[in-house]
Amino acid sequence: VVPQPSYSQWVAGFPLADSSPLADPDFDGTINLLEYASFSDPSDNMSFTNPHLESDPAVPGDLVYTYRRIREISPGDGNGSTGDGYRIYGITYTVEVSSDLSNWQPASQVVTMQAEGLPLDYGDGSETVTLRLTPPPNSGNHWFARLKIALE
């Protein structure tokens, strides 16, 4: 497995009408930057796997958030905490939460966030991580999560 190239190297490998980070040339609703960060194919509108949020029936009130990301090939390729500003190969992953879909904050500042088990390694330079999000007591039943990707 070779390290994921930079965004510009990666996007140059696809025959795209628009290779800018905010473009969606395959019209799947996923911009190129998110396709890069999720190890997806920006020319195939069926290749993207959405992050997934679900309630945990075993622990009422807890949420489980899963997403695919670029993994380290060598120790030290990435830095930061999973879900809280994890940086690798020029991008940063931050899980954000909201109780009203208007005001978004880093999950680590609002809920208790903890990695669940080890990441699932696909052997292609990507992995799926799972986080447990525990909202504060008496904070209501409506919580939403999203994955914020920033290009450095």
Tab-separated table of all heavy atoms in Angstrom, residues 16-40:
chain	number	residue	atom	x	y	z
A	16	LEU	N	-11.848	14.338	-15.080
A	16	LEU	CA	-12.966	15.119	-14.571
A	16	LEU	C	-13.147	16.420	-15.337
A	16	LEU	O	-12.165	17.074	-15.704
A	16	LEU	CB	-12.747	15.446	-13.094
A	16	LEU	CG	-12.530	14.258	-12.158
A	16	LEU	CD1	-12.204	14.753	-10.760
A	16	LEU	CD2	-13.740	13.352	-12.148
A	17	ALA	N	-14.397	16.816	-15.523
A	17	ALA	CA	-14.691	18.098	-16.157
A	17	ALA	C	-14.301	19.251	-15.242
A	17	ALA	O	-13.877	20.304	-15.700
A	17	ALA	CB	-16.177	18.184	-16.505
A	18	ASP	N	-14.415	19.059	-13.943
A	18	ASP	CA	-14.057	20.082	-12.974
A	18	ASP	C	-13.349	19.398	-11.806
A	18	ASP	O	-13.950	18.589	-11.103
A	18	ASP	CB	-15.307	20.816	-12.485
A	18	ASP	CG	-14.991	22.011	-11.596
A	18	ASP	OD1	-13.833	22.142	-11.119
A	18	ASP	OD2	-15.904	22.822	-11.353
A	19	SER	N	-12.092	19.717	-11.599
A	19	SER	CA	-11.297	19.055	-10.565
A	19	SER	C	-11.136	19.896	-9.297
A	19	SER	O	-10.372	19.530	-8.411
A	19	SER	CB	-9.920	18.692	-11.119
A	19	SER	OG	-9.229	19.864	-11.512
A	20	SER	N	-11.878	20.994	-9.180
A	20	SER	CA	-11.752	21.832	-7.991
A	20	SER	C	-12.314	21.097	-6.769
A	20	SER	O	-13.180	20.228	-6.897
A	20	SER	CB	-12.468	23.169	-8.194
A	20	SER	OG	-13.852	22.961	-8.346
A	21	PRO	N	-11.820	21.428	-5.571
A	21	PRO	CA	-12.251	20.713	-4.364
A	21	PRO	C	-13.759	20.742	-4.100
A	21	PRO	O	-14.309	19.790	-3.559
A	21	PRO	CB	-11.488	21.419	-3.237
A	21	PRO	CG	-10.285	21.975	-3.891
A	21	PRO	CD	-10.742	22.379	-5.269
A	22	LEU	N	-14.437	21.815	-4.509
A	22	LEU	CA	-15.873	21.926	-4.219
A	22	LEU	C	-16.769	21.453	-5.359
A	22	LEU	O	-17.997	21.519	-5.261
A	22	LEU	CB	-16.224	23.361	-3.843
A	22	LEU	CG	-15.514	23.891	-2.590
A	22	LEU	CD1	-15.932	25.325	-2.300
A	22	LEU	CD2	-15.775	23.004	-1.386
A	23	ALA	N	-16.182	20.951	-6.430
A	23	ALA	CA	-16.963	20.465	-7.573
A	23	ALA	C	-17.509	19.067	-7.301
A	23	ALA	O	-16.976	18.309	-6.489
A	23	ALA	CB	-16.093	20.453	-8.824
A	24	ASP	N	-18.556	18.729	-8.027
A	24	ASP	CA	-19.169	17.395	-7.954
A	24	ASP	C	-19.389	16.885	-9.379
A	24	ASP	O	-20.504	16.846	-9.884
A	24	ASP	CB	-20.499	17.475	-7.194
A	24	ASP	CG	-21.205	16.137	-7.103
A	24	ASP	OD1	-20.553	15.095	-7.316
A	24	ASP	OD2	-22.420	16.129	-6.830
A	25	PRO	N	-18.304	16.486	-10.067
A	25	PRO	CA	-18.417	16.121	-11.477
A	25	PRO	C	-19.228	14.858	-11.766
A	25	PRO	O	-19.695	14.683	-12.883
A	25	PRO	CB	-16.964	15.954	-11.916
A	25	PRO	CG	-16.210	15.676	-10.668
A	25	PRO	CD	-16.933	16.411	-9.583
A	26	ASP	N	-19.414	13.976	-10.802
A	26	ASP	CA	-20.213	12.776	-11.055
A	26	ASP	C	-21.659	12.933	-10.562
A	26	ASP	O	-22.452	12.003	-10.635
A	26	ASP	CB	-19.565	11.523	-10.468
A	26	ASP	CG	-19.393	11.567	-8.956
A	26	ASP	OD1	-19.776	12.577	-8.318
A	26	ASP	OD2	-18.845	10.598	-8.413
A	27	PHE	N	-21.995	14.112	-10.058
A	27	PHE	CA	-23.358	14.473	-9.658
A	27	PHE	C	-23.962	13.506	-8.632
A	27	PHE	O	-25.150	13.229	-8.665
A	27	PHE	CB	-24.274	14.591	-10.888
A	27	PHE	CG	-23.773	15.567	-11.907
A	27	PHE	CD1	-23.186	15.119	-13.074
A	27	PHE	CD2	-23.849	16.929	-11.678
A	27	PHE	CE1	-22.695	16.017	-14.015
A	27	PHE	CE2	-23.371	17.836	-12.601
A	27	PHE	CZ	-22.785	17.381	-13.775
A	28	ASP	N	-23.134	13.064	-7.693
A	28	ASP	CA	-23.641	12.173	-6.642
A	28	ASP	C	-23.935	12.916	-5.341
A	28	ASP	O	-24.290	12.315	-4.340
A	28	ASP	CB	-22.679	11.018	-6.386
A	28	ASP	CG	-21.318	11.463	-5.853
A	28	ASP	OD1	-21.056	12.678	-5.755
A	28	ASP	OD2	-20.496	10.573	-5.551
A	29	GLY	N	-23.765	14.245	-5.355
A	29	GLY	CA	-24.020	15.040	-4.159
A	29	GLY	C	-22.820	15.116	-3.232
A	29	GLY	O	-22.922	15.661	-2.134
A	30	THR	N	-21.673	14.594	-3.667
A	30	THR	CA	-20.467	14.575	-2.850
A	30	THR	C	-19.356	15.333	-3.578
A	30	THR	O	-18.982	14.958	-4.690
A	30	THR	CB	-20.010	13.121	-2.577
A	30	THR	OG1	-21.103	12.397	-2.018
A	30	THR	CG2	-18.842	13.088	-1.627
A	31	ILE	N	-18.840	16.376	-2.950
A	31	ILE	CA	-17.797	17.178	-3.586
A	31	ILE	C	-16.475	16.408	-3.650
A	31	ILE	O	-16.249	15.463	-2.894
A	31	ILE	CB	-17.609	18.528	-2.860
A	31	ILE	CG1	-17.170	18.318	-1.411
A	31	ILE	CG2	-18.876	19.376	-2.963
A	31	ILE	CD1	-16.755	19.584	-0.691
A	32	ASN	N	-15.617	16.823	-4.557
A	32	ASN	CA	-14.328	16.156	-4.756
A	32	ASN	C	-13.514	16.034	-3.471
A	32	ASN	O	-12.885	14.996	-3.229
A	32	ASN	CB	-13.502	16.894	-5.811
A	32	ASN	CG	-14.025	16.686	-7.208
A	32	ASN	OD1	-14.695	15.699	-7.501
A	32	ASN	ND2	-13.717	17.624	-8.100
A	33	LEU	N	-13.494	17.079	-2.659
A	33	LEU	CA	-12.697	17.034	-1.435
A	33	LEU	C	-13.169	15.912	-0.507
A	33	LEU	O	-12.359	15.185	0.067
A	33	LEU	CB	-12.738	18.378	-0.704
A	33	LEU	CG	-11.938	18.453	0.594
A	33	LEU	CD1	-10.462	18.124	0.365
A	33	LEU	CD2	-12.086	19.830	1.217
A	34	LEU	N	-14.474	15.740	-0.372
A	34	LEU	CA	-14.992	14.668	0.465
A	34	LEU	C	-14.733	13.303	-0.170
A	34	LEU	O	-14.459	12.327	0.525
A	34	LEU	CB	-16.480	14.868	0.747
A	34	LEU	CG	-17.112	13.932	1.770
A	34	LEU	CD1	-16.323	13.909	3.085
A	34	LEU	CD2	-18.554	14.335	2.030
A	35	GLU	N	-14.790	13.232	-1.498
A	35	GLU	CA	-14.459	11.975	-2.187
A	35	GLU	C	-12.995	11.611	-1.889
A	35	GLU	O	-12.683	10.455	-1.612
A	35	GLU	CB	-14.665	12.108	-3.696
A	35	GLU	CG	-16.088	12.438	-4.093
A	35	GLU	CD	-16.863	11.301	-4.713
A	35	GLU	OE1	-16.474	10.132	-4.553
A	35	GLU	OE2	-17.882	11.598	-5.356
A	36	TYR	N	-12.099	12.589	-1.935
A	36	TYR	CA	-10.681	12.360	-1.629
A	36	TYR	C	-10.510	11.887	-0.192
A	36	TYR	O	-9.858	10.878	0.069
A	36	TYR	CB	-9.901	13.664	-1.866
A	36	TYR	CG	-8.471	13.649	-1.367
A	36	TYR	CD1	-7.497	12.900	-2.004
A	36	TYR	CD2	-8.094	14.408	-0.265
A	36	TYR	CE1	-6.173	12.894	-1.557
A	36	TYR	CE2	-6.787	14.415	0.195
A	36	TYR	CZ	-5.830	13.660	-0.464
A	36	TYR	OH	-4.531	13.653	-0.011
A	37	ALA	N	-11.118	12.597	0.730
A	37	ALA	CA	-10.965	12.290	2.160
A	37	ALA	C	-11.573	10.942	2.528
A	37	ALA	O	-11.159	10.321	3.496
A	37	ALA	CB	-11.609	13.394	3.001
A	38	SER	N	-12.549	10.472	1.738
A	38	SER	CA	-13.240	9.217	2.023
A	38	SER	C	-12.767	8.077	1.140
A	38	SER	O	-13.385	7.014	1.109
A	38	SER	CB	-14.749	9.404	1.832
A	38	SER	OG	-15.211	10.406	2.683
A	39	PHE	N	-11.701	8.325	0.391
A	39	PHE	CA	-11.104	7.293	-0.459
A	39	PHE	C	-12.120	6.785	-1.481
A	39	PHE	O	-12.323	5.587	-1.661
A	39	PHE	CB	-10.571	6.143	0.403
A	39	PHE	CG	-9.241	5.619	-0.065
A	39	PHE	CD1	-8.085	6.312	0.222
A	39	PHE	CD2	-9.139	4.448	-0.783
A	39	PHE	CE1	-6.849	5.844	-0.198
A	39	PHE	CE2	-7.913	3.961	-1.219
A	39	PHE	CZ	-6.767	4.662	-0.919
A	40	SER	N	-12.773	7.731	-2.134
A	40	SER	CA	-13.826	7.419	-3.097
A	40	SER	C	-13.383	7.840	-4.495
A	40	SER	O	-12.368	8.511	-4.664
A	40	SER	CB	-15.091	8.167	-2.674
A	40	SER	OG	-16.171	7.844	-3.489
